[in-house]
């Protein structure tokens, strides 16, 4: 957490917002249907405040402990902020994750789905949940295999009573992202899921073109990590 504060995060945010809206319009979509998650991981509160002051209220973090250290104070100052977990969740962090976050994009295995279901019950909360799909079928990467997504969704819903809003993916770095975005969009359509979390700094416009409803953009707003 030693990154310099970008010279003008507000200007970078405005640039990303206008590029995102243009990409949505270009694809014949309502720009309001694509939500921009500002990914503030590794950045300190002092770097996040200018982005909050510029009006951004939707943020993403990839680690529970880091989010817990930064966000309670920021949220006290900006109470209408929404916080999404976009990184992998360990089951022993589930209680804190359900306390802290409004959405989890990385429901990636039965054990985590069950832990989230139990915590939501205990805390009387319902988060917006996404199943992470390993669209590249990479051995080292988290996520449900495409062929198992329908049965995992049924397990989440029928056995655990979880409301699943949509699908999320992180395409392999060496492959064309568009292919993965198109694939995820098709899978979500087949499963009747309305939300799609896909697209990062390098490809959020492409993701918007292929139907993303949430794009997760870090370095294009906050600067290099
Ligand atoms: C860090 C991260 C992002 C944002 O990446 P940038 O390239 O900085 O925009 C998006 N999604 C996930 C899951 C991440 O971990």
């Amino acid at each position: 957490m030693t990154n310099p504060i970008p010279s003008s995060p507000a200007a970078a945010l405005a640039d990303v917002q206008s590029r995102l809206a243009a990409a949505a319009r270009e694809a014949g979509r309502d720009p309001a249907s694509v939500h921009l998650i500002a990914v503030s991981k590794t950045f300190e509160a002092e770097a996040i405040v200018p982005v909050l002051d510029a009006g951004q209220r939707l943020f993403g973090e990839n680690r529970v402990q880091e989010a817990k250290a930064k966000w309670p104070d920021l949220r006290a100052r900006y109470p209408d902020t929404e916080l999404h977990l976009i990184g992998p969740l360990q089951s022993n962090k589930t209680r804190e994750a359900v306390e802290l976050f409004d959405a989890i994009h990385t429901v990636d295995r039965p054990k985590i789905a069950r832990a989230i279901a139990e915590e939501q019950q205990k805390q009387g909360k319902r988060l917006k949940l996404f199943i992470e799909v390993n669209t590249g079928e990479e051995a080292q990467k988290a996520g449900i295999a495409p062929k198992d997504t329908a049965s995992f969704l049924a397990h989440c819903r029928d056995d655990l009573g979880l409301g699943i809003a949509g699908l999320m993916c992180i395409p392999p770095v060496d492959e064309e992202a568009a292919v993965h975005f198109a694939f995820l969009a098709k899978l979500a359509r087949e499963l009747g899921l309305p939300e799609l979390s896909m697209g990062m700094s390098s490809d959020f416009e492409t993701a918007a073109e292929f139907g993303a409803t949430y794009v997760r953009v870090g370095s294009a707003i906050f600067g290099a990590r």
Side-chain angles (χ1 to χ4, degrees):
M1 291 167 63
T2 54
N3 292 290
I5 299 167
S7 53
S8 177
L13 174 69
D15 178 62
V16 168
Q17 284 168 334
S18 74
R19 285 166 56 196
L20 183 59
R25 266 188 232 101
E26 185 85 11
R29 303 183 58 204
D30 177 0
S33 66
V34 195
H35 304 285
L36 173 62
I37 303 173
V39 177
S40 48
K41 67 186 185 195
T42 77
F43 287 93
E44 308 254 15
E46 59 183 343
I48 301 172
V49 165
V51 178
L52 283 157
D53 283 339
Q56 178 70 21
R57 286 295 180 274
L58 176 53
F59 288 84
E61 290 282 345
N62 71 332
R63 300 175 66 137
V64 175
Q65 291 314 112
E66 182 185 339
K68 204 182 158 192
K70 294 192 297 198
W71 279 99
D73 282 354
L74 287 169
R75 284 185 118 173
R77 289 159 67 188
Y78 301 87
D80 53 344
T81 298
E82 199 178 308
L83 196 58
H84 289 207
L85 179 64
I86 61 164
L89 178 59
Q90 294 163 308
S91 53
N92 64 353
K93 300 275 164 56
T94 310
R95 179 179 54 78
E96 289 168 307
V98 171
E99 279 169 7
L100 194 58
F101 290 96
D102 301 293
I104 297 175
H105 290 238
T106 47
V107 182
D108 62 356
R109 56 197 194 278
K111 187 180 179 189
I112 278 300
R114 176 171 297 279
I116 292 170
E118 287 170 2
E119 270 310 322
Q120 289 200 143
Q121 189 91 39
K122 274 189 210 151
Q123 297 183 30
K125 274 185 89 174
R126 281 179 84 81
L127 278 60
K128 181 168 263 190
L129 301 174
F130 297 77
I131 293 173
E132 180 174 358
V133 182
N134 186 357
T135 59
E137 308 200 48
E138 296 169 280
Q140 80 289 1
K141 198 174 259 180
I144 301 289
K147 66 171 172 32
D148 299 332
T149 306
S151 62
F152 182 66
L153 173 65
H155 172 62
C156 288
R157 281 181 173 162
D158 304 340
D159 304 333
L160 304 174
L162 281 181
I164 299 290
L167 302 180
M168 175 271 210
C169 78
I170 306 170
V173 285
D174 55 350
E175 288 181 29
E176 196 158 356
V179 174
H180 294 269
F181 297 158
F183 178 81
L184 196 72
K186 180 168 173 283
L187 189 55
R189 209 160 41 238
E190 287 167 3
L191 298 172
L193 293 170
E195 306 287 2
L196 279 172
S197 167
M198 56 190 199
M200 315 196 340
S201 289
S202 58
D203 52 25
F204 67 85
E205 290 153 298
T206 307
E209 187 186 324
F210 283 92
T213 60
Y214 286 89
V215 294
R216 311 177 307 265
V217 179
S219 48
I221 295 170
F222 290 97
R225 287 183 298 272

